[in-house]
C-alpha cells in the first residue's frame, strides 16, 4: 500500500516512533507528504529523519529511477529494511 495507508503506514509510523530514519515511499507525492507530516507531528515521534520519495512498484522504470535517486542521495548509507 505504500507508506501513506494501511500496513505500510502503520509500519512506518511505528518505526518513526522508535526514532528510526524513515523514507516514506508512495505513488502520490501529496499523500507521501501528508503521511510524513503526520509521523513528525505524532505525540510519540522519536525524532528520526523522515523523507519522502515517489515510486510506483508496478513500473520497473519507476523502481529503477527511485533506486538511482536513493543511491545518489545516500551514497554508501545502508537501507536496512524495505517493506513492499
Amino acid at each position: 500500500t505504500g507508506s501513506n495507508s494501511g500496513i505500510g503506514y502503520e509500519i512506518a509510523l511505528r518505526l518513526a516512533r522508535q526514532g528510526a530514519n524513515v523514507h516514506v515511499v508512495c505513488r502520490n507525492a501529496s499523500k507521501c507528504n501528508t503521511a510524513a507530516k503526520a509521523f513528525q507531528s505524532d505525540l510519540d515521534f522519536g525524532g528520526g529523519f523522515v523523507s519522502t520519495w515517489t515510486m510506483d512498484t508496478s513500473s520497473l522504470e519507476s523502481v529503477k529511477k527511485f533506486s538511482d535517486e536513493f543511491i545518489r542521495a545516500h551514497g554508501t548509507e545502508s537501507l536496512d529494511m524495505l517493506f513492499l
Side-chain angles (χ1 to χ4, degrees):
T1 63
S3 301
N4 64 299
S5 65
I7 288 179
Y9 179 90
E10 293 300 325
I11 291 170
L13 176 61
R14 297 304 188 280
L15 291 169
R17 286 177 175 170
Q18 295 298 315
N21 295 332
V22 176
H23 301 279
V24 182
V25 183
C26 316
R27 286 182 302 228
N28 179 297
S30 176
K31 290 181 179 182
C32 249
N33 291 330
T34 299
K37 288 177 185 172
F39 299 156
Q40 292 170 319
S41 64
D42 186 88
L43 293 176
D44 295 321
F45 178 62
F49 180 79
V50 178
S51 65
T52 59
W53 301 82
T54 304
M55 177 179 60
D56 180 355
T57 58
S58 69
S59 163
L60 184 56
E61 182 179 327
S62 178
V63 172
K64 287 180 179 179
K65 181 181 175 194
F66 164 76
S67 300
D68 290 342
E69 290 175 0
F70 188 88
I71 290 168
R72 198 170 16 260
H74 295 281
T76 60
E77 178 184 331
S78 68
L79 179 61
D80 297 319
M81 289 183 268
L82 178 64
F83 299 96
L84 297 174

